[in-house]
Amino acid sequence: MTASIDNTHFLLRRLHSLFGLVPVGAFLVFHLWENSQSRFGAAHFNETVVGGLQRLNYLPFLELFVIALPLLFHAGYGLAVIGSGRAEPLRYRFLRNRWYWLQRISGVGLMLFLLLHVGMTRIAGMFEPSIRADLFGHMQQSLSQPPVLALYLIGLWLAVFHLANGLSTAAIAWGLTTSANAQRRFGWLCGAFGLLLGAIGMHGLIGFLAAAGGAA
Amino acid sequence: MIRANVELRIRRQDTPGSAPYWQVFNAPVRERDNVISVLMQLRQQPVTADGQRVDPVAFEHNCMEEVCGACAMLINGLPRPSCSALIDELDHPIVLEPLPKFPVVRDLIVDRSRMSEHLQRVKAWIRIDGAWEIHERTQRQSQQAWARNYLYSRCMSCGCCMAACPQFGPDKAFVGPAPLAQVRLMNAHPTGRYDSAERLHAIMAEGGLTDCGNAQNCVRVCPKEIPLTTAIGELGRQTTLQMLKDLFGA
Ligand code: HEM
Ligand code: SF4
């Protein structure tokens, strides 16, 4: 009798699901929470929020092992998962089927967004010390260009949808919710969570534009 | 009593490998006809709407009361058994296509042997004969458990759930919803549960439970209203526990 751990298929797929929740999903919540403090202005944001993070112990390892590698694994395996299915959102117009399709669309969209987003902030900051020193000013400048703001709004809602819907499907995959009623109730709860998280994210984006700028 | 003619658009295919093509028929319908009874009528006068005499349309049916599963096809774009598809309740013209995801044998007949292969792959049976004689009868189960399990025993292997599943297809490994639901049923059986770890291991391999993407079309199209997504959630829980047993010891 071959056990499930002799065959990596099940473990890899569950790892993909787990990584989507923690650390990647948990990081998204933390990230949007941190950014919602943009409304306190440049000084607070640059010193307390960004400065606090930049002074974290073992920061490069945390960034690599808690964020980058789990996300890369999730995204890479996610692309393989996308290739293993064929959505028919127009033939089967059921809500969950549309979410199935959107989960995949949002995954691909997120990958493109994250490449741009990480490139424009974290990677650009490695070459440009002034960006690291005044991340608030950098974000304010970027977001005041309408195309960039639109890009961020789309990226935000893709990520929030993907996490909220992923939470509801992960609950089925792991066996937390079994009955149709439990799955429906938890689905609504995830929807409410998504709306709240999206609102926090929007608040963060608006904060960069509304709050007093300038590092000095 | 012939009441009217109804327009049927049928996707036809002469042999397994050949190219499909469409034909339109104006078929006579009687009161309370269903798709199969109309196809039977049509078989006697296989003449297309533009008057051409053609080979009769090949289709499959057996019980005519939605318990055998043989007559499933795509009706107006959705998979369902054609014996319970009443003409009066369908939009016209009626579009008939073979059940997708399964190889076409001819016209509306498909080969569903993959269904039985997958039922075998997940060990959807109950072992009652061992190397020794088992004198005991099956243990009794509670009325509540019986009522829950009965839902899954109604599966007629029609394949509608498989046809609607975005993760199932000829080029895909996924076993599909119906075999998974049978694992749920067999694992709950008083005798069948002795082999539940083996069944779980079978669905924890390639093409198993984790290939489900939770689109939940299966439960929407199943004509027997089998709670397929509940089975999938319950198997999610059983496989989570099985994984912990495999990792840390039972
Ligand atoms: C902000 C970043 C991301 C977060 C928070 C996240 C989170 C999640 C979560 C929680 C799930 C649910 C897992 C399950 O149903 O078991 C999921 C599923 C999925 N993710 Fe992501 N994800 C992210 C980025 C990506 C990216 C970049 C891709 C790349 C294509 C991707 C592709 C997928 C796919 C295809 C699924 C569906 C898996 C399935 O149905 O089995 N995700 N994600
Ligand atoms: S579960 Fe329902 S749709 Fe699927 S094969 Fe059985 S009866 Fe048909």
Side-chain angles (χ1 to χ4, degrees):
Chain A
M1 187 160 83
T2 55
S4 59
I5 49 175
D6 301 336
N7 181 331
T8 52
H9 186 80
F10 183 82
L11 289 178
L12 283 179
R13 193 60 178 263
R14 282 290 168 95
L15 206 61
H16 173 258
S17 174
L18 179 69
F19 278 4
L21 297 176
V22 276
V24 180
F27 172 74
L28 179 66
V29 175
F30 173 74
H31 185 59
L32 296 180
W33 171 261
E34 290 287 88
N35 289 344
S36 70
Q37 300 182 40
S38 59
R39 71 186 187 283
F40 295 136
H44 175 87
F45 192 82
N46 283 339
E47 274 137 50
T48 313
V49 179
V50 180
L53 288 173
Q54 282 173 352
R55 284 188 296 271
L56 269 182
N57 192 15
Y58 297 130
L59 180 63
F61 293 99
L62 292 178
E63 284 181 315
L64 191 63
F65 290 105
V66 180
I67 307 172
L69 291 179
L71 178 61
L72 277 176
F73 172 80
H74 181 90
Y77 203 85
L79 284 181
V81 168
I82 292 173
S84 80
R86 209 194 66 195
E88 293 183 281
L90 294 178
R91 185 188 295 278
Y92 302 104
R93 296 162 176 270
F94 313 117
L95 196 59
R96 285 272 186 188
N97 189 47
R98 295 194 173 168
W99 291 160
Y100 166 90
W101 174 71
L102 259 183
Q103 185 74 1
R104 279 140 186 83
I105 300 283
S106 61
V108 174
L110 262 178
M111 214 169 54
L112 302 177
F113 172 74
L114 290 177
L115 281 175
L116 282 172
H117 173 51
V118 175
M120 275 158 60
T121 53
R122 186 66 183 80
I123 307 288
M126 280 160 50
F127 301 102
E128 197 65 59
S130 65
I131 293 181
R132 271 175 77 79
D134 180 17
L135 204 55
F136 185 96
H138 178 68
M139 287 314 295
Q140 191 173 50
Q141 210 176 30
S142 306
L143 291 174
S144 42
Q145 302 161 43
V148 179
L149 182 63
L151 183 75
Y152 269 79
L153 282 171
I154 295 170
L156 167 72
W157 284 104
L158 287 182
V160 166
F161 165 78
H162 191 91
L163 175 60
N165 187 54
L167 194 60
S168 81
T169 56
I172 302 169
W174 290 82
L176 178 70
T177 52
T178 59
S179 73
N181 277 336
Q183 292 173 4
R184 193 174 308 119
R185 272 194 303 267
F186 192 69
W188 286 115
L189 196 69
C190 292
F193 161 75
L195 287 177
L196 182 69
L197 190 63
I200 292 175
M202 297 267 279
H203 201 187
L205 289 177
I206 294 168
F208 284 112
L209 298 175
Chain B
M1 249 277 293
I2 293 194
R3 216 188 42 195
N5 277 345
V6 64
E7 186 177 327
L8 294 180
R9 294 166 182 262
I10 303 180
R11 201 181 86 182
R12 308 200 54 178
Q13 185 172 331
D14 296 338
T15 56
S18 66
Y21 56 95
W22 288 89
Q23 273 175 354
V24 181
F25 300 89
N26 280 321
V29 284
R30 295 155 307 180
E31 212 150 335
R32 299 171 59 194
D33 255 336
N34 58 54
V35 168
I36 285 290
S37 60
V38 170
L39 285 173
M40 286 168 156
Q41 286 277 115
L42 184 67
R43 188 161 56 185
Q44 296 172 18
Q45 271 306 333
V47 179
T48 63
D50 45 19
Q52 194 193 350
R53 197 169 184 88
V54 292
D55 283 341
V57 178
F59 58 95
E60 203 174 6
H61 79 283
N62 186 21
C63 73
M64 295 298 274
E65 55 180 358
E66 206 187 66
V67 291
C68 77
C71 68
M73 59 179 75
L74 216 51
I75 301 175
N76 288 343
L78 292 177
R80 55 188 291 190
S82 43
C83 67
S84 55
L86 303 182
I87 301 298
D88 285 342
E89 295 169 7
L90 292 174
D91 289 339
H92 298 193
I94 297 170
V95 183
L96 303 180
E97 296 165 79
L99 194 69
K101 315 272 179 90
F102 295 95
V104 173
V105 177
R106 178 170 184 167
D107 294 338
L108 300 171
I109 301 177
V110 296
D111 176 358
R112 268 172 297 179
S113 42
R114 281 193 89 215
M115 176 73 99
S116 83
E117 282 160 24
H118 287 188
L119 285 166
Q120 289 173 44
R121 212 163 104 198
V122 304
K123 305 180 203 286
W125 62 76
I126 293 186
R127 215 154 43 101
I128 47 170
D129 306 315
W132 59 92
E133 226 182 319
I134 299 172
H135 297 281
E136 297 295 319
R137 287 159 156 258
T138 300
Q139 281 168 270
R140 297 195 53 169
Q141 36 183 316
S142 73
Q143 281 293 311
Q144 290 85 345
W146 177 85
R148 280 194 303 273
N149 296 341
Y150 176 70
L151 301 177
Y152 300 99
S153 72
R154 294 177 303 173
C155 177
M156 53 187 182
S157 305
C158 66
C160 290
C161 57
M162 318 273 270
C165 174
Q167 296 289 121
F168 176 80
D171 52 342
K172 299 179 173 67
F174 186 38
V175 291
L180 289 176
Q182 292 310 297
V183 171
R184 150 69 182 79
L185 175 65
M186 304 297 160
N187 279 6
H189 186 275
T191 307
R193 70 194 153 95
Y194 294 125
D195 293 320
S196 53
E198 272 195 55
R199 287 190 206 96
L200 291 180
H201 285 147
I203 63 164
M204 290 164 91
E206 284 80 5
L209 179 70
T210 47
D211 288 24
C212 166
N214 295 298
Q216 302 205 336
N217 289 343
C218 54
V219 77
R220 301 276 178 283
V221 301
C222 173
K224 307 304 280 188
E225 297 181 3
I226 293 173
L228 294 154
T229 50
T230 300
I232 286 168
E234 290 183 11
L235 291 173
R237 193 177 291 179
Q238 290 182 26
T239 49
T240 300
L241 293 174
Q242 187 62 45
M243 173 185 69
L244 293 176
K245 286 181 186 171
D246 292 342
L247 278 172
F248 299 108

